[in-house]
Amino acid sequence: MTEKTAKKAKVTLRSLAAELGIAPATVMRALNNHPNVTQGVRRKVVTLAMKRNYQLPEHHAKHVAIVVSSSNLEGYTCQILNALSDELNSRGIGFEIILGSNINSLHEHSCSGVISTIWESGLEKFWPTEHSLPLVVLNAVPNFREGIYQVCSDEKQGINMAMEYLVSKGKRKIALISTPLKKNQAACERVEAFHSFCRGHQLTECFHEEHTVDNSLEKIAGTVISRHPEAVFVACETYGFAMLHYLHEAGIDIPGEMSLISLEMSPYSAFSSPPLTTICQNFQMLAFRAVETLMQRIRKQACKQQITVPYIFKERKSV
C-alpha cells in the first residue's frame, strides 16, 4: 500500500493488521496494552496507528487510570484526586486508581489512557518502552518526543505572588521551607524561583531549608527559630500545620513576631490558629486541563503539549 493510498483509504483494525502482516486481534491487543503482545510488536502497531491517525471507537475512551505515588492519600495527592474524580464523573468517564509501585498491573486492565499524579521524575523515561497508552502527567516531567504531555501549576508565578505579598508587608528576611528536591521538578522550580526573586529584590538575608530524612521539620523549625526571619514561607500543602505547631510551642506569636505563609490545604488552612494565608494550586483547573488533554490524545486530536495553571492567593490572618 502506497502512502497516498493509505491516506485515502479508511483506516481500520484490519487495514492496520494487513499493512503490518499480523492478525487484527493482535492489533487490538497492542492498542489496549495487552500483556501478551511483545514490546516490539506494540511499538510497531502504535507507531503505524499514530501515522495513519487511527482512532479507537468512542466506547474505548470511557475508562481511564489515575496513577498515584503511594497509598498515603493526603495533602496534595488527596486534593488532586478529589478534583480529578469530580471532573471525570462530570464527563461520565470511569476510572481506577493504581499505585506507582504496581504500575505494571495496567496490562491487566482495559483503559484508554492514563493520568499520573506522581511528581517524581522517571516515569517519562520508561513509559514509552513499556506502555502504549496515552499519558498526561500532572506537575511532573513530560516527554514531548514520546507524546507524554504535561499539565502543571505555574510555580514561578505562585512563588513570585507570595513573595511580592510578603515584601509589600515589609518582610525582607524570609525563610523558604521546601519538600525534598531530589527527582521533584515542582520543588526545584519553587526553590529556583525563590532564589531568583531574592536576587532580583536584593533580599540578602533570605534562606532556604530543605526537608530531608536528615533535616526533619522539627529540626528545620529549630533553625528557623534561631535565625528568626520576619516571615516563613512553607512550600508544601501539609508542612504549614507542623511549622505552625513548632513555632507556637516555642512561644513565637504568629503573625505578631513572625509571619507564616504556606501552600493551601483545603479546607483546613482556614481553620488553623491563626488562619493561614496561602497560595493555592487551582486543582479544579488542573483536573479539567489534564482530563481534556487526555481525551484529545485518546481521540488523536491536536492539543497543547504543555499547559500551566496559575496559583490562587488566599489572604487570611497569619501575615
Side-chain angles (χ1 to χ4, degrees):
M1 181 183 293
T2 66
E3 186 75 17
K4 186 175 181 180
T5 304
K7 288 182 178 179
K8 287 184 178 181
K10 181 180 179 181
V11 181
T12 64
L13 286 173
R14 289 185 179 279
S15 67
L16 292 175
E19 194 166 348
L20 290 167
I22 58 178
T26 303
V27 174
M28 175 58 80
R29 291 191 188 99
L31 293 175
N32 279 289
N33 223 34
H34 196 281
N36 289 346
V37 180
T38 66
Q39 178 182 316
V41 171
R42 182 182 296 113
R43 295 284 286 178
K44 289 180 180 179
V45 171
V46 172
T47 299
L48 182 62
M50 293 180 66
K51 185 177 181 181
R52 299 287 182 250
N53 199 30
Y54 176 72
Q55 183 173 319
L56 283 169
E58 182 66 20
H59 68 272
H60 286 277
K62 291 300 183 181
H63 195 81
V64 302
I66 301 174
V67 180
V68 298
S69 57
S70 72
S71 57
N72 187 18
L73 305 180
E74 61 179 21
Y76 164 81
T77 302
C78 176
Q79 294 182 99
I80 194 60
L81 275 180
N82 284 338
L84 284 169
S85 174
D86 289 344
E87 182 63 33
L88 290 166
N89 284 333
S90 72
R91 295 171 180 248
I93 300 172
F95 67 93
E96 54 194 300
I97 297 173
I98 295 176
L99 297 181
S101 59
N102 195 33
I103 199 167
N104 285 332
S105 68
L106 276 171
H107 293 300
E108 303 167 8
H109 301 273
S110 177
C111 57
S112 54
V114 178
I115 296 173
S116 173
T117 67
I118 299 177
W119 57 82
E120 299 96 335
S121 62
L123 186 63
E124 78 288 350
K125 296 177 182 178
F126 82 80
W127 183 268
T129 62
E130 299 291 336
H131 302 278
S132 60
L133 296 171
L135 172 66
V136 175
V137 295
L138 271 165
N139 291 326
V141 180
N143 186 341
F144 301 136
R145 186 172 63 86
E146 295 287 355
I148 300 174
Y149 291 3
Q150 178 197 53
V151 176
C152 60
S153 292
D154 191 337
E155 304 299 345
K156 182 177 181 181
Q157 173 266 340
I159 295 296
N160 285 346
M161 180 169 59
M163 292 294 288
E164 285 168 0
Y165 175 76
L166 290 174
V167 170
S168 74
K169 296 295 184 179
K171 316 300 179 184
R172 298 192 62 82
K173 185 178 181 180
I174 303 167
L176 177 75
I177 300 171
S178 78
T179 52
L181 302 182
K182 186 178 180 181
K183 294 185 178 181
N184 190 329
Q185 175 178 270
C188 291
E189 288 179 359
R190 291 168 188 168
V191 173
E192 182 180 349
F194 171 77
H195 287 309
S196 178
F197 184 95
C198 292
R199 288 193 299 268
H201 290 75
Q202 298 181 336
L203 305 179
T204 57
E205 294 186 279
C206 293
F207 62 96
H208 162 233
E209 287 287 327
E210 178 188 0
H211 178 221
T212 64
V213 174
D214 298 323
N215 197 26
S216 67
L217 288 176
E218 185 174 9
K219 185 177 179 180
I220 290 173
T223 301
V224 167
I225 292 166
S226 65
R227 298 185 67 171
H228 208 84
E230 298 168 314
V232 181
F233 183 4
V234 186
C236 176
E237 283 82 6
T238 55
Y239 289 4
F241 304 109
M243 193 54 50
L244 184 61
H245 167 74
Y246 291 128
L247 295 177
H248 274 162
E249 276 199 330
I252 294 177
D253 177 49
I254 306 293
E257 191 176 350
M258 191 182 296
S259 293
L260 181 64
I261 187 170
S262 73
L263 268 64
E264 174 79 356
M265 183 58 202
S266 179
Y268 309 113
S269 298
F271 298 100
S272 61
S273 181
L276 287 174
T277 293
T278 64
I279 60 169
C280 179
Q281 298 193 63
N282 191 337
F283 292 103
Q284 287 69 36
M285 184 56 67
L286 286 169
F288 170 79
R289 292 295 191 183
V291 173
E292 183 69 15
T293 300
L294 183 62
M295 291 300 102
Q296 290 171 333
R297 294 286 295 122
I298 290 170
R299 294 165 182 154
K300 305 290 190 267
Q301 298 171 343
C303 59
K304 293 181 67 174
Q305 292 180 321
Q306 181 180 42
I307 297 172
T308 56
V309 177
Y311 273 81
I312 301 168
F313 182 74
K314 297 192 175 184
E315 184 176 21
R316 297 191 181 101
K317 303 293 185 180
S318 62
V319 177

